[in-house]
Amino acid sequence: MNLLNCKDCLKEISSYLDGEMEPDLKRHLEEHLSLCHHCQVVFDSARKTIELYCDGRLFPLPLEVRDRLHRALRRRWEEKAS
Amino acid sequence: MTESSPVVPRKDDSVLVTEAKAGNYAAFEALVSRYEKKIYRLGLNLTGNPEDAEDVLQEAFLKAFAHLAEFREDARFYTWLVRIAINEGLMKLRKRRSDKAVPIEDAVGEEGEIIPREFTDWKPNPEQLYAQGEMETILQNAAQGLSPGFRAVFLLRDVEGLSTEETAQLLNLTEGAVKARLFRARLQLREGLSKVFKRG
Ligand SMILES: [Zn+2]
C-alpha cells in the first residue's frame, strides 16, 4: 500500500492539472481524490478557476479602444510609408 | 461571443507576417484583429485597470509594428507579441509601484507554502450566477491579490497557453520557478474565488 496523505496530494495538484505526472503517482493521486472530499474540492475549484480566467466572453475589447488602436497604427504606418 | 468567423480561408500568421513585412497594411491589420482581444484581456488582467490595459494594447502593437523586420519567421508571432505585451505591462506596474518603493516580486519567495483553507464545494456554474461585469470584478480582484510576478506566470501559462519553457524564457526564470509560481498562483486564486463561489 502506498497511500498519499492530503499534504502530498495537494502538493501534486498543479502537476496533475498539467497532466504531467508519472503513471504510478497519478494512480495514487486519483485514488486519494476519489476518497477525499477536501482534496477533490481543491482540485475541482482550481480547475474551475483556470476555466473562468480563460472564458472568452469576459473582458471584451471596447469598440472605442479598438478604434483608437487601429487609428494609431494606421497613422504610424503612414508616417513610415511617407 | 465567437471569434470572427472567417469567410475566406484563414491565412497562417507566418503568411500574414511575410505580407506585412513586404508592406501590406491589410495583412498587418489582420494580425492585429486576430489578437487584439487577447492582448487587451492580458493587459487588463495584468494591470487591473482599463487605462493601463489600453496602453499595453497600443504599445504592444506599435512596438510589434516597429520591430516587425526583426521578427524571425520561424518563431510564433503570438508568443512574440505576448512577450512584448507582458513586458509593457510589467513595466507599467513597476512605474506605478516605484512611488511606494514596493518591489515587483513579493518578499515571500517561491517556497512559501500555500495551505488551502476553503474546502467547501463551489456553487455549480458560478459564471451563470453573476452578471458579466460582476464576474469580471470578482476575477480582477482575485488576480490583483497576487504579486505581479506570480500573476504574469498564471496569465502566460494558464490563459495564454504558453509552455513552461516559453514562460521561463520570457520572464527570465528557471522552469522550476515557473512551476512553483504557477502552483502558488493557482491555489491563491482558487482560495480567493472560493470565498465568493462557495455553497452556503
Ligand atoms: Zn485529501
Side-chain angles (χ1 to χ4, degrees):
Chain A
M1 282 313 261
N2 197 357
L3 285 179
L4 286 179
N5 59 30
C6 289
K7 196 167 173 241
D8 292 335
C9 176
L10 292 173
K11 247 186 3 216
E12 300 299 334
I13 284 261
S14 203
S15 316
Y16 185 56
L17 282 166
D18 291 329
E20 288 173 1
M21 195 168 255
E22 46 162 303
D24 260 6
L25 182 56
K26 186 168 172 225
R27 197 163 43 79
H28 290 308
L29 189 123
E30 284 171 347
E31 229 167 64
H32 182 96
L33 288 177
S34 72
L35 299 170
C36 176
H37 185 66
H38 274 193
C39 289
Q40 182 70 56
V41 168
V42 174
F43 174 68
D44 284 343
S45 50
R47 189 173 48 190
K48 189 76 198 172
T49 296
I50 298 169
E51 276 174 29
L52 287 173
Y53 282 96
C54 290
D55 188 332
R57 291 166 301 185
L58 299 174
F59 308 112
L61 176 63
L63 221 55
E64 64 276 15
V65 174
R66 182 176 193 272
D67 275 356
R68 285 195 287 270
L69 170 68
H70 284 257
R71 276 205 303 273
L73 287 168
R74 160 80 59 183
R75 212 179 308 126
R76 194 64 63 88
W77 185 281
E78 280 162 3
E79 277 166 21
K80 200 182 157 208
S82 64
Chain B
M1 207 188 292
T2 54
E3 302 294 323
S4 59
S5 48
V7 189
V8 217
R10 188 185 154 101
K11 282 185 183 173
D12 271 351
D13 284 1
S14 58
V15 174
L16 291 173
V17 168
T18 307
E19 290 177 0
K21 278 182 169 182
N24 179 345
Y25 186 68
F28 183 67
E29 207 162 34
L31 284 168
V32 177
S33 299
R34 192 168 282 180
Y35 296 122
E36 59 197 359
K37 265 173 62 182
K38 291 180 82 175
I39 296 295
Y40 179 72
R41 186 177 65 172
L42 176 63
L44 199 53
N45 279 323
L46 186 65
T47 64
N49 92 68
E51 292 76 32
D52 286 344
E54 180 167 1
D55 287 351
V56 168
L57 177 73
Q58 285 218 6
E59 284 306 312
F61 280 110
L62 285 170
K63 279 208 172 135
F65 171 58
H67 295 279
L68 198 58
E70 298 152 34
F71 174 71
R72 291 194 354 262
E73 272 153 70
D74 58 339
R76 262 181 76 206
F77 178 76
Y78 185 61
T79 309
W80 184 66
L81 189 61
V82 163
R83 174 194 302 268
I84 301 174
I86 205 101
N87 284 333
E88 285 299 321
L90 289 173
M91 216 148 64
K92 269 204 170 300
L93 291 172
R94 271 190 209 103
K95 253 184 228 158
R96 201 199 288 168
R97 292 198 161 209
S98 66
D99 317 328
K100 302 184 225 150
V102 178
I104 196 110
E105 307 304 343
D106 67 1
V108 190
E110 257 100 64
E111 280 85 296
E113 236 179 310
I114 289 280
I115 301 153
R117 292 177 202 286
E118 292 287 351
F119 294 108
T120 316
D121 269 321
W122 284 14
K123 296 170 196 153
N125 305 315
E127 62 271 48
Q128 288 163 22
L129 299 175
Y130 297 86
Q132 180 173 320
E134 281 175 317
M135 189 52 127
E136 288 167 353
T137 307
I138 292 166
L139 294 179
Q140 290 260 292
N141 286 345
Q144 293 306 308
L146 292 174
S147 67
F150 286 73
R151 201 153 65 229
V153 168
F154 175 78
L155 294 173
L156 291 175
R157 284 282 290 111
D158 279 346
V159 184
E160 303 310 323
L162 267 60
S163 68
T164 301
E165 193 189 351
E166 286 171 325
T167 305
Q169 269 182 10
L170 210 155
L171 296 175
N172 243 326
L173 295 168
T174 64
E175 291 187 27
V178 168
K179 286 185 184 170
R181 285 182 183 206
L182 183 61
F183 172 74
R184 281 197 38 184
R186 285 167 166 173
L187 286 191
Q188 208 177 314
L189 289 172
R190 184 209 79 89
E191 201 70 19
L193 296 181
S194 293
K195 295 195 175 82
V196 185
F197 297 144
K198 69 180 171 189
R199 264 183 218 266

